[in-house]
């Protein structure tokens, strides 16, 4: 069914401009717990200790770069044990993070579900801020750290809790679904969350004729194309996925008609129209594992193609490389600092957290 309307900040004359921050990064000194900087020299011992990790990434990281990374990787893995910490990494993290220091990798839904099972005292979230907030919502008694609290997201920044309240006034009684790419403040105002893996299932689970779906207008259009539920959308977009065009995909196909193209549903409709398969990052990875195409164009954030190629080197990746500047704020160096200094700690106002947690747990329980 075509989407039934897209709203944005300009549609609300009295839109409040400010909203309270829900997190406050803390530094080492605030917690009084910094550990000294370990040696980061490239030695024979470092080479030996990290050799099995290099095996995992040798197809995507040149040998000349490994000595620059390996000492920090070894130090991070040792500090994880010292701190009783676990590292969660999104599929868009670079291969040296995703394959060499992360304990758990995946898409937003996988990370949210895995976060509920973590036994460690500390979670270090290698991803963007809303992901760290989601981990904190699900683990209120644990310390959740993000190596750089400036790692934001254009979707999360597009909407506030006040905007959701204005939408509810405009459409009384219509349930609201929020993509997990939103702040805790927004999650606190909605009925249920979803990810790109389960968006259609979540919308249909509400049993309502109309649903407000926010904030990604393109994911909303994709959901609308898969359901009879009337979708009212918000004007947000992912700054990485909206840059792809149908024209560039057609050029890949003209150059090689046998190429397979898979795309994330945050892409515009003309891109999805050219794709052989559309799905979340986890669904895309499973599709590649099962299909094993010879040549593949993966239309999503660039690092995921590297992570898949590290696992499946026989698949040739042709890729227009759009990097997410927010995801790339997370580096080996600031992960090490995060473990050393226990910063930046994610905190959420308890009143907001209780309501936001309910929206996330409702989604997770639906999944289970
Ligand atoms: S890739 Fe897009 S949706 Fe994901 S964090 Fe970056 S801006 Fe946000």
């Amino acid at each position: 069914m075509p989407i039934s309307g897209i709203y944005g900040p300009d549609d609300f004359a009295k839109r409040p401009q400010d909203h309270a921050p829900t997190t406050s990064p803390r530094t080492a000194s605030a917690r009084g717990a910094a550990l000294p900087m370990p040696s980061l020299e490239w030695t024979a011992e470092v080479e030996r200790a990290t050799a099995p990790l290099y095996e995992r990434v040798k197809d995507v990281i040149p040998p000349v770069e490994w000595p620059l990374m390996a000492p920090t990787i070894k130090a991070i893995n040792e500090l994880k044990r010292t701190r009783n910490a676990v590292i969660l990494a999104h599929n868009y993290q670079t291969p040296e993070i995703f394959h060499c220091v992360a304990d758990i990798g995946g898409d937003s839904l996988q990370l949210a579900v895995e976060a509920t099972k973590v036994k460690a005292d500390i979670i270090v979230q290698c991803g963007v801020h809303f992901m760290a907030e989601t981990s904190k919502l699900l683990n209120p008694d644990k310390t959740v750290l993000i190596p750089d609290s400036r790692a934001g997201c254009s979707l999360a920044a597009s909407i506030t809790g006040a905007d959701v309240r204005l939408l509810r006034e405009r459409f009384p009684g219509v349930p609201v679904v929020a993509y997990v790419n939103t702040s805790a403040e927004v999650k606190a105002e909605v009925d249920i969350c979803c990810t790109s893996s389960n968006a259609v299932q979540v919308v249909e689970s509400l049993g309502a004729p109309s649903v407000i779906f926010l904030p990604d207008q393109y994911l909303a259009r994709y959901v609308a194309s898969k359901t009879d539920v009337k979708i009212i959308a918000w004007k947000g977009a992912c700054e990485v996925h909206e840059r792809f065009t149908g024209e560039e995909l057609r050029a890949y196909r003209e150059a090689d008609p046998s190429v397979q193209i898979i795309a994330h549903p945050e892409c515009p409709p003309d891109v999805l129209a050219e794709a052989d398969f559309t799905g979340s990052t986890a669904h895309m990875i499973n599709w590649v594992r099962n299909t094993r195409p010879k040549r593949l164009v993966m239309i999503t954030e660039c690092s995921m193609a590297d992570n898949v190629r590290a696992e499946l080197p026989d698949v040739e990746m042709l890729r227009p490389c759009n990097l997410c500047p927010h995801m790339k704020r997370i580096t080996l160096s600031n992960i090490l600092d995060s473990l050393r200094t226990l910063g930046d700690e994610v905190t959420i106002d308890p009143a907001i957290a209780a309501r936001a947690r309910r929206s996330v747990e409702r989604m997770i329980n639906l999944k289970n």
Side-chain angles (χ1 to χ4, degrees):
M1 163 179 300
I3 209 156
S4 84
I6 304 185
Y7 293 80
D10 299 342
D11 297 303
F12 298 103
K14 289 188 293 181
R15 183 192 190 223
Q17 292 303 307
D18 297 315
H19 58 104
T22 58
T23 63
S24 58
R26 284 197 217 160
T27 62
S29 56
R31 300 182 57 85
L35 294 175
M37 179 65 95
S39 164
L40 298 180
E41 269 181 61
W42 171 244
T43 62
E45 157 58 11
V46 171
E47 184 173 11
R48 200 167 38 249
T50 58
L53 295 174
Y54 188 61
E55 270 304 296
R56 297 182 190 171
V57 291
K58 65 180 191 311
D59 289 302
V60 289
I61 296 180
V64 69
E65 289 180 18
W66 187 245
L68 302 174
M69 300 175 177
T72 313
I73 288 170
K74 180 170 179 286
I76 288 171
N77 287 328
E78 286 170 358
L79 262 186
K80 272 195 307 188
R81 287 190 286 278
T82 307
R83 292 291 201 190
N84 190 22
V86 69
I87 293 183
L88 306 187
H90 188 266
N91 290 322
Y92 294 163
Q93 292 294 296
T94 48
E96 68 275 14
I97 295 174
F98 191 82
H99 288 290
C100 301
V101 300
D103 299 287
I104 298 162
D107 69 359
S108 304
L109 179 59
Q110 289 168 322
L111 295 182
V113 171
E114 291 302 325
T116 64
K117 303 174 190 165
V118 164
K119 296 277 186 286
D121 299 324
I122 295 172
I123 294 173
V124 181
Q125 191 86 32
C126 296
V128 294
H129 196 268
F130 75 81
M131 296 174 180
E133 277 193 332
T134 305
S135 289
K136 181 66 182 175
L137 290 174
L138 297 170
N139 294 277
D141 299 329
K142 292 190 194 303
T143 299
V144 175
L145 307 174
I146 181 163
D148 186 335
S149 59
R150 296 170 302 166
C153 168
S154 63
L155 280 171
S158 74
I159 189 162
T160 67
D163 292 326
V164 182
R165 291 193 290 277
L166 289 169
L167 279 167
R168 284 203 189 270
E169 277 174 29
R170 178 78 60 99
F171 301 101
V174 178
V176 184
V177 175
Y179 195 22
V180 284
N181 300 36
T182 46
S183 65
E185 185 194 55
V186 166
K187 290 182 174 80
E189 297 291 338
V190 306
D191 295 288
I192 186 168
C193 290
C194 75
T195 71
S196 50
S197 289
N198 61 16
V200 176
Q201 182 198 0
V202 168
V203 164
E204 295 191 337
S205 75
L206 297 169
S210 303
V211 164
I212 298 169
F213 186 97
L214 53 87
D216 186 347
Q217 59 182 296
Y218 297 122
L219 182 59
R221 282 179 202 274
Y222 176 73
V223 171
S225 76
K226 300 281 174 196
T227 180
D228 292 331
V229 178
K230 201 167 114 188
I231 300 293
I232 299 159
W234 184 254
K235 275 184 190 149
C238 163
E239 67 188 80
V240 175
H241 290 94
E242 74 173 345
R243 291 212 302 271
F244 293 108
T245 65
E247 197 181 342
E248 70 187 304
L249 269 59
R250 282 191 291 280
Y252 277 107
R253 228 189 263 289
E254 274 163 29
D256 177 2
S258 73
V259 79
Q260 295 285 292
I261 299 176
I262 62 176
H264 193 279
E266 287 171 13
C267 295
D270 66 321
V271 171
L272 301 188
E274 296 295 330
D276 297 298
F277 174 77
T278 298
S280 68
T281 54
H283 290 161
M284 289 166 97
I285 292 169
N286 284 339
W287 185 92
V288 183
R289 283 183 184 135
N290 295 333
T291 310
R292 295 293 182 105
K294 198 160 165 291
R295 304 187 88 203
L296 177 67
V297 181
M298 194 175 251
I299 301 297
T300 189
E301 210 269 357
C302 192
S303 291
M304 194 170 103
D306 285 335
N307 288 329
V308 172
R309 199 166 145 251
E311 180 189 331
L312 304 168
D314 51 318
V315 177
E316 185 190 350
M317 297 281 181
L318 313 173
R319 52 196 176 118
C321 193
N322 288 352
L323 286 169
C324 172
H326 312 292
M327 287 281 179
K328 269 41 216 189
R329 282 191 182 278
I330 309 301
T331 63
L332 286 176
S333 176
N334 59 26
I335 295 168
L336 180 61
D337 278 345
S338 187
L339 281 164
R340 262 192 343 101
T341 66
L342 300 182
D344 294 334
E345 183 175 356
V346 176
T347 57
I348 307 174
D349 178 315
I352 290 173
R355 292 160 55 220
R357 185 177 305 118
R358 183 208 54 198
S359 301
V360 177
E361 286 180 344
R362 212 172 152 194
M363 168 188 79
I364 290 174
N365 292 339
L366 188 72
K367 169 80 182 167
N368 292 336

